Amino acid sequence: MPSRRTILGATTLAAPFLLSSRLRAAPTRTVRLTLPWVAEGSNAVAFVAKANGYWADAGLDVRISRGYGSVAAAQAVGAGQFDFGLAAASAGIQQAAKGLPTVSIACCGYDATMCVAVLADSPVHAVNDLAGKSLGGTVNSGEYPFLPAFAKASGLDLASVKLVQVDPNVRQRVLMERQVDAICGFAISIAPVLVANNMPGRFMLYSSAGLDFYNNALLTRPEVLKADPKLCEAMAVGIMKATRFCLLQPADAVGLFLKQVPEAALAANGAKQIRTGLGIFNMTQIAAPAKQHAVGWSGADGYAAMTDLVMRYLGSPGDKTPDPASLFTNDFVGGVTLGADEWTKAGTNVKEYRDLFV
């Protein structure tokens, strides 16, 4: 299935990433983790957890494999092909409705960054400025089913927009070549490509219109959670420690990523692309649930709202609405926090990326 995770010029790796780490006692257990897409800044947190030994210290040898979209990643976890996976929270909800349940054991961001994107010099400054303009999109991309709701909430008559279907592999390119006036997608994947090509853009987030979706979640199967909570705890704590590291030391995090995935630096301005993706990932972490509770915390209200949106716009005949409380747990959250000064530092670190958003 085509995916929201599209990078022009990126090298994709089909085999698991066999990553080096600091010298330590050999891990004793192999764990399989799938990404939602290729190795990029938006999922660099997994490589930081690996490189800094957060999982190895718990006796785990985590093998990280590229993914083929959040829906496919959630399906692969639910089917037992992987022990854990990073995937959009909405994808986990969608699969649970279809009888292939997963459960989130850590939240990896509080805004999926679904958006409409334009170039910085575009005359489109608000969503309703799209009337009479062309908008490129990919039907199977995760944000597309919610486009009508975003348009309605923003006061835009979608019938006044020329919708152009584009292949996900050229979505950013058609915008950069000005073949369309705007595209819809996920800013966390679109912005790094534009920035790396020195073509800054502006991003109008679905969340600004009340369509709030979490970013990626660390997913596993309910039976794994029940049978091996210690394993789940080690995986969740590793991700949360890595998130804290990324928030406070983003330059070091990018360096760790590029050492482990050198292919990412082969493309022109590859390091800039990774840095931008990580910066937006960090931006999505700075939210009330993490500040008020702990890094990785999931909110009951958030999951209830996402479940309602998924069922309303993605539900199919035969789907059953899952109990939102069954979709996540905070059992392993609470041990990784930031102080007030650290949150301030994290906010300063992402200012240049926050300025991209309308």
Side-chain angles (χ1 to χ4, degrees):
M1 175 177 290
S3 165
R4 69 183 174 100
R5 303 297 191 191
T6 303
I7 298 182
L8 298 181
T11 301
T12 59
L13 305 179
F17 301 100
L18 304 180
L19 308 179
S20 61
S21 62
R22 299 172 299 178
L23 293 176
R24 63 184 75 251
T28 59
R29 182 174 182 178
T30 298
V31 176
R32 300 162 299 164
L33 171 72
T34 181
L35 301 175
W37 191 237
V38 297
E40 60 180 16
S42 68
N43 52 55
V45 65
F47 298 92
V48 171
K50 177 92 173 183
N52 281 349
Y54 301 143
W55 289 325
D57 286 342
L60 303 179
D61 176 16
V62 179
R63 307 294 180 93
I64 306 173
S65 294
R66 65 151 292 175
Y68 295 88
S70 279
V71 171
Q75 289 173 338
V77 173
Q81 297 173 24
F82 291 91
D83 305 301
F84 299 89
L86 288 173
S90 59
I93 297 170
Q94 187 179 3
Q95 295 313 302
K98 297 182 182 301
L100 196 66
T102 60
V103 58
S104 169
I105 60 174
C107 174
C108 297
Y110 298 94
D111 193 328
T113 71
M114 296 181 186
C115 74
V116 168
V118 299
L119 296 178
D121 61 0
S122 169
V124 176
H125 291 275
V127 179
N128 54 16
D129 290 338
L130 286 168
K133 302 291 195 298
S134 57
L135 173 66
T138 302
V139 172
N140 290 326
S141 187
E143 86 298 332
Y144 198 87
F146 305 103
L147 180 61
F150 177 54
K152 182 178 180 180
S154 303
L156 172 68
D157 179 3
L158 199 57
S160 69
V161 180
K162 180 183 179 181
L163 299 178
V164 181
Q165 294 301 317
V166 299
D167 185 281
N169 294 305
V170 298
R171 182 164 36 185
Q172 288 95 322
R173 183 177 298 161
V174 298
L175 179 63
M176 290 189 292
E177 294 178 353
R178 303 178 189 273
Q179 296 179 40
V180 295
D181 297 301
I183 58 174
C184 56
F186 289 74
I188 201 167
S189 289
I190 297 171
V193 177
L194 298 186
V195 171
N197 283 277
N198 297 313
M199 298 190 72
R202 290 196 305 275
F203 303 89
M204 293 168 276
L205 293 172
Y206 284 23
S207 58
S208 67
L211 277 73
D212 295 313
F213 289 94
Y214 285 0
N215 191 25
N216 288 332
L218 180 61
L219 301 177
T220 192
R221 297 185 302 285
E223 55 266 33
V224 174
L225 176 62
K226 181 178 180 180
D228 205 337
K230 290 294 186 183
L231 171 63
C232 294
E233 180 180 22
M235 289 296 296
V237 170
I239 280 286
M240 290 182 287
K241 286 182 176 180
T243 297
R244 187 180 191 279
F245 185 94
C246 290
L247 284 166
L248 299 176
Q249 299 174 244
D252 293 334
V254 170
L256 290 173
F257 177 89
L258 292 175
K259 286 181 180 178
Q260 297 171 94
V261 191
E263 296 84 353
L266 295 179
N269 294 316
K272 189 176 184 180
Q273 187 167 320
I274 298 304
R275 185 167 62 251
T276 303
L278 178 65
I280 296 174
F281 167 85
N282 286 343
M283 187 189 77
T284 74
Q285 299 288 341
I286 304 174
K291 289 183 175 182
Q292 294 172 2
H293 299 281
V295 174
W297 183 273
S298 296
D301 290 345
Y303 263 89
M306 287 190 291
T307 300
D308 178 68
L309 288 167
V310 167
M311 297 307 298
R312 192 185 316 171
Y313 294 103
L314 293 178
S316 300
D319 287 357
K320 295 182 179 180
T321 303
D323 176 5
S326 71
L327 299 169
F328 72 96
T329 179
N330 287 316
D331 287 353
F332 312 118
V333 176
V336 180
T337 60
L338 279 72
D341 289 345
E342 290 172 324
W343 280 118
T344 298
K345 179 181 179 181
T348 300
N349 289 339
V350 303
K351 183 182 183 305
E352 66 178 290
Y353 308 107
R354 197 178 296 280
D355 289 345
L356 296 171
F357 298 90
V358 176

Coordinates of all heavy atoms in Angstrom, one line a residue, residues 79-137:
A79 N 0.0 -9.4 13.0 CA 0.0 -10.7 12.4 C 1.2 -11.5 13.0 O 1.4 -12.7 12.7 CB 0.2 -10.7 10.9
G80 N 2.0 -10.9 13.8 CA 3.2 -11.6 14.5 C 4.4 -11.6 13.6 O 5.4 -12.3 14.0
Q81 N 4.5 -10.9 12.5 CA 5.7 -10.9 11.8 C 6.8 -10.1 12.5 O 8.0 -10.3 12.2 CB 5.4 -10.2 10.4 CG 4.5 -11.0 9.6 CD 4.1 -10.3 8.3 OE1 4.8 -9.5 7.8 NE2 2.9 -10.6 7.7
F82 N 6.4 -9.2 13.3 CA 7.4 -8.4 14.1 C 6.8 -8.4 15.6 O 5.6 -8.5 15.8 CB 7.5 -7.0 13.6 CG 8.2 -6.8 12.3 CD1 7.5 -6.9 11.1 CD2 9.6 -6.7 12.3 CE1 8.2 -6.8 9.9 CE2 10.3 -6.6 11.1 CZ 9.5 -6.7 9.9
D83 N 7.8 -8.3 16.5 CA 7.4 -8.2 17.9 C 6.8 -6.8 18.3 O 5.9 -6.7 19.1 CB 8.6 -8.5 18.8 CG 9.2 -9.8 18.5 OD1 8.5 -10.9 18.6 OD2 10.4 -9.8 18.1
F84 N 7.4 -5.8 17.7 CA 7.0 -4.4 17.9 C 7.1 -3.6 16.6 O 7.8 -4.0 15.7 CB 8.0 -3.8 19.0 CG 7.9 -4.5 20.3 CD1 8.8 -5.5 20.6 CD2 7.0 -4.1 21.3 CE1 8.8 -6.2 21.8 CE2 7.0 -4.7 22.5 CZ 7.9 -5.8 22.8
G85 N 6.4 -2.5 16.6 CA 6.5 -1.6 15.5 C 6.2 -0.2 15.8 O 5.5 0.1 16.7
L86 N 6.8 0.7 15.1 CA 6.5 2.1 15.1 C 5.5 2.4 14.0 O 5.8 2.1 12.8 CB 7.7 3.0 15.0 CG 8.6 3.0 16.2 CD1 9.9 3.8 15.8 CD2 8.0 3.6 17.4
A87 N 4.3 2.9 14.3 CA 3.3 3.1 13.2 C 2.4 4.2 13.8 O 2.3 4.4 15.0 CB 2.5 1.9 12.9
A88 N 1.7 4.9 12.8 CA 0.8 5.9 13.2 C -0.3 5.3 14.2 O -0.8 4.2 13.9 CB 0.1 6.5 12.0
A89 N -0.6 6.1 15.2 CA -1.6 5.6 16.1 C -2.9 5.2 15.4 O -3.6 4.2 15.8 CB -1.9 6.6 17.2
S90 N -3.3 6.0 14.4 CA -4.6 5.8 13.7 C -4.5 4.4 13.0 O -5.6 3.8 12.8 CB -4.8 6.9 12.7 OG -3.7 7.0 11.8
A91 N -3.3 4.0 12.5 CA -3.2 2.7 11.8 C -3.5 1.6 12.8 O -4.1 0.6 12.5 CB -1.8 2.6 11.2
G92 N -3.0 1.7 14.1 CA -3.3 0.7 15.1 C -4.8 0.6 15.3 O -5.4 -0.5 15.5
I93 N -5.5 1.8 15.4 CA -6.9 1.8 15.6 C -7.7 1.1 14.5 O -8.6 0.3 14.7 CB -7.4 3.2 15.8 CG1 -6.8 3.8 17.1 CG2 -8.9 3.3 16.0 CD1 -7.0 5.3 17.2
Q94 N -7.2 1.5 13.3 CA -7.9 0.9 12.1 C -7.8 -0.6 12.0 O -8.7 -1.3 11.7 CB -7.2 1.5 10.8 CG -7.9 1.1 9.5 CD -7.2 1.8 8.3 OE1 -6.2 2.5 8.5 NE2 -7.8 1.6 7.1
Q95 N -6.6 -1.1 12.4 CA -6.4 -2.6 12.4 C -7.2 -3.3 13.5 O -7.8 -4.4 13.3 CB -5.0 -2.9 12.5 CG -4.1 -2.5 11.3 CD -4.8 -2.8 9.9 OE1 -5.1 -4.0 9.7 NE2 -5.0 -1.8 9.1
A96 N -7.3 -2.6 14.6 CA -8.1 -3.2 15.7 C -9.6 -3.3 15.3 O -10.3 -4.3 15.6 CB -8.0 -2.3 17.0
A97 N -10.1 -2.3 14.5 CA -11.5 -2.4 14.1 C -11.7 -3.5 13.1 O -12.8 -4.0 13.0 CB -11.8 -1.0 13.4
K98 N -10.6 -4.0 12.5 CA -10.7 -5.1 11.5 C -10.4 -6.4 12.1 O -10.3 -7.4 11.4 CB -9.8 -4.8 10.3 CG -10.2 -3.6 9.5 CD -9.3 -3.3 8.3 CE -9.7 -2.0 7.6 NZ -11.1 -2.0 7.2
G99 N -10.2 -6.4 13.5 CA -10.0 -7.7 14.2 C -8.6 -8.1 14.3 O -8.3 -9.3 14.6
L100 N -7.6 -7.2 14.1 CA -6.2 -7.5 14.2 C -5.6 -6.5 15.2 O -4.9 -5.6 14.8 CB -5.5 -7.4 12.8 CG -4.1 -8.0 12.7 CD1 -4.2 -9.5 12.8 CD2 -3.5 -7.6 11.4
P101 N -5.9 -6.7 16.5 CA -5.6 -5.7 17.5 C -4.1 -5.6 17.8 O -3.4 -6.5 17.8 CB -6.4 -6.1 18.7 CG -6.5 -7.6 18.6 CD -6.7 -7.8 17.1
T102 N -3.7 -4.3 18.0 CA -2.4 -4.0 18.6 C -2.7 -3.1 19.8 O -3.8 -2.6 19.9 CB -1.5 -3.3 17.6 OG1 -2.1 -2.1 17.1 CG2 -1.2 -4.2 16.4
V103 N -1.6 -2.9 20.6 CA -1.8 -2.0 21.7 C -0.5 -1.1 21.7 O 0.6 -1.6 21.5 CB -1.9 -2.7 23.0 CG1 -0.8 -3.7 23.3 CG2 -2.1 -1.8 24.2
S104 N -0.7 0.2 22.0 CA 0.4 1.1 22.1 C 0.9 1.1 23.5 O 0.2 1.2 24.5 CB -0.1 2.6 21.8 OG 0.9 3.5 22.1
I105 N 2.2 0.9 23.6 CA 2.9 0.9 24.9 C 3.7 2.2 25.2 O 4.2 2.4 26.2 CB 3.8 -0.3 25.1 CG1 4.9 -0.4 24.1 CG2 2.9 -1.6 25.1 CD1 5.9 -1.6 24.3
A106 N 3.7 3.1 24.2 CA 4.4 4.4 24.3 C 4.0 5.3 23.2 O 4.0 4.8 22.0 CB 5.9 4.3 24.4
C107 N 3.7 6.5 23.5 CA 3.3 7.5 22.5 C 4.6 8.2 22.0 O 5.4 8.6 22.8 CB 2.4 8.5 23.0 SG 2.0 9.9 21.9
C108 N 4.7 8.3 20.7 CA 5.9 8.9 20.1 C 5.6 10.1 19.3 O 6.0 10.4 18.2 CB 6.6 7.9 19.2 SG 7.3 6.4 20.0
G109 N 4.7 11.0 19.9 CA 4.4 12.3 19.3 C 2.9 12.5 19.4 O 2.1 11.6 19.3
Y110 N 2.5 13.8 19.5 CA 1.1 14.1 19.8 C 0.5 14.9 18.6 O -0.6 15.4 18.7 CB 1.0 15.0 21.0 CG 1.5 14.2 22.2 CD1 2.8 14.3 22.7 CD2 0.7 13.3 22.9 CE1 3.3 13.5 23.8 CE2 1.1 12.6 24.0 CZ 2.4 12.7 24.4 OH 2.8 11.9 25.5
D111 N 1.2 14.9 17.5 CA 0.6 15.4 16.2 C 1.1 14.7 15.1 O 2.4 14.7 14.8 CB 0.9 16.9 16.1 CG 0.0 17.6 15.0 OD1 -0.3 16.9 14.0 OD2 -0.3 18.8 15.2
A112 N 0.3 14.0 14.3 CA 0.7 13.2 13.1 C 1.2 14.1 12.0 O 1.8 13.7 11.1 CB -0.4 12.3 12.6
T113 N 1.0 15.4 12.1 CA 1.3 16.5 11.1 C 0.6 16.3 9.8 O 1.2 16.6 8.8 CB 2.9 16.6 11.0 OG1 3.4 15.5 10.3 CG2 3.6 16.8 12.3
M114 N -0.6 15.7 9.8 CA -1.4 15.7 8.6 C -1.5 17.2 8.2 O -1.8 18.0 9.0 CB -2.8 15.1 8.8 CG -2.7 13.6 9.2 SD -4.4 13.0 9.4 CE -4.1 11.3 10.0
C115 N -1.4 17.4 6.9 CA -1.4 18.8 6.5 C -1.7 19.0 5.0 O -1.7 18.1 4.2 CB 0.0 19.4 6.8 SG 1.3 18.9 5.6
V116 N -1.9 20.3 4.6 CA -1.8 20.8 3.3 C -0.6 21.6 3.2 O -0.4 22.5 4.1 CB -3.0 21.6 2.9 CG1 -2.8 22.3 1.6 CG2 -4.3 20.7 2.7
A117 N 0.3 21.4 2.2 CA 1.6 22.1 2.1 C 1.6 22.9 0.9 O 1.2 22.5 -0.2 CB 2.7 21.1 2.1
V118 N 2.2 24.1 1.0 CA 2.5 25.0 -0.1 C 3.9 25.5 -0.1 O 4.5 25.4 1.0 CB 1.5 26.2 -0.2 CG1 0.1 25.7 -0.3 CG2 1.7 27.0 1.1
L119 N 4.4 26.0 -1.1 CA 5.7 26.6 -1.1 C 5.7 27.9 -0.4 O 4.6 28.6 -0.3 CB 6.3 26.8 -2.5 CG 6.6 25.5 -3.3 CD1 7.0 25.8 -4.7 CD2 7.5 24.6 -2.6
A120 N 6.8 28.4 0.2 CA 6.8 29.6 1.0 C 6.4 30.8 0.2 O 5.8 31.7 0.8 CB 8.2 29.8 1.6
D121 N 6.6 30.8 -1.1 CA 6.2 32.0 -1.9 C 4.8 31.9 -2.4 O 4.4 32.7 -3.3 CB 7.2 32.3 -3.0 CG 7.4 31.2 -4.0 OD1 6.7 30.1 -3.8 OD2 8.2 31.3 -4.9
S122 N 4.0 30.9 -2.0 CA 2.7 30.7 -2.5 C 1.7 31.8 -2.1 O 1.9 32.3 -0.9 CB 2.2 29.4 -2.1 OG 0.8 29.2 -2.4
P123 N 0.8 32.2 -2.9 CA -0.2 33.1 -2.4 C -1.3 32.5 -1.5 O -2.1 33.2 -1.0 CB -0.9 33.6 -3.7 CG -0.7 32.4 -4.7 CD 0.6 31.9 -4.3
V124 N -1.2 31.2 -1.3 CA -2.1 30.5 -0.4 C -1.5 30.6 1.0 O -0.5 30.1 1.4 CB -2.2 29.0 -0.8 CG1 -3.1 28.3 0.2 CG2 -2.8 28.9 -2.2
H125 N -2.3 31.4 1.8 CA -1.9 31.6 3.2 C -2.8 31.0 4.2 O -2.5 30.9 5.4 CB -1.7 33.1 3.5 CG -0.6 33.7 2.8 ND1 0.7 33.7 3.3 CD2 -0.5 34.4 1.6 CE1 1.5 34.4 2.4 NE2 0.8 34.8 1.4
A126 N -4.0 30.6 3.8 CA -5.0 30.0 4.6 C -5.7 28.9 3.8 O -5.6 28.9 2.5 CB -6.0 31.0 5.1
V127 N -6.3 28.0 4.4 CA -6.9 26.9 3.7 C -7.9 27.3 2.7 O -8.0 26.8 1.5 CB -7.6 25.9 4.7 CG1 -8.2 24.7 4.0 CG2 -6.5 25.4 5.7
N128 N -8.8 28.3 3.0 CA -9.8 28.7 2.0 C -9.2 29.5 0.9 O -9.9 29.7 -0.1 CB -10.9 29.5 2.7 CG -10.4 30.7 3.5 OD1 -9.3 31.1 3.3 ND2 -11.2 31.2 4.4
D129 N -7.9 29.8 0.9 CA -7.2 30.4 -0.3 C -7.0 29.4 -1.4 O -6.7 29.7 -2.5 CB -5.9 31.0 0.1 CG -6.0 32.2 1.0 OD1 -7.0 32.9 0.9 OD2 -5.0 32.5 1.7
L130 N -7.3 28.1 -1.1 CA -7.1 27.0 -2.1 C -8.3 27.0 -3.1 O -8.2 26.3 -4.1 CB -7.1 25.7 -1.4 CG -5.8 25.3 -0.7 CD1 -6.0 24.1 0.2 CD2 -4.6 25.1 -1.6
A131 N -9.3 27.7 -2.9 CA -10.4 27.8 -3.9 C -9.9 28.3 -5.2 O -9.2 29.3 -5.3 CB -11.5 28.8 -3.4
G132 N -10.2 27.5 -6.3 CA -9.7 27.8 -7.6 C -8.3 27.3 -7.9 O -7.7 27.5 -9.0
K133 N -7.6 26.7 -6.9 CA -6.2 26.2 -7.0 C -6.2 24.7 -7.2 O -7.3 24.0 -7.0 CB -5.4 26.6 -5.8 CG -5.4 28.1 -5.5 CD -4.6 28.8 -6.6 CE -4.2 30.2 -6.1 NZ -5.4 31.1 -5.9
S134 N -5.1 24.1 -7.5 CA -4.9 22.7 -7.7 C -4.2 22.1 -6.4 O -3.3 22.7 -5.9 CB -4.1 22.3 -8.9 OG -2.8 23.0 -8.9
L135 N -4.7 20.9 -6.0 CA -4.2 20.2 -4.8 C -3.8 18.8 -5.2 O -4.7 18.0 -5.6 CB -5.2 20.2 -3.7 CG -4.9 19.4 -2.5 CD1 -3.7 20.0 -1.7 CD2 -6.1 19.4 -1.5
G136 N -2.5 18.4 -5.1 CA -2.1 17.1 -5.3 C -2.2 16.2 -4.1 O -1.9 16.6 -3.0
G137 N -2.7 15.0 -4.3 CA -2.9 14.1 -3.2 C -2.8 12.6 -3.6 O -2.9 12.3 -4.8

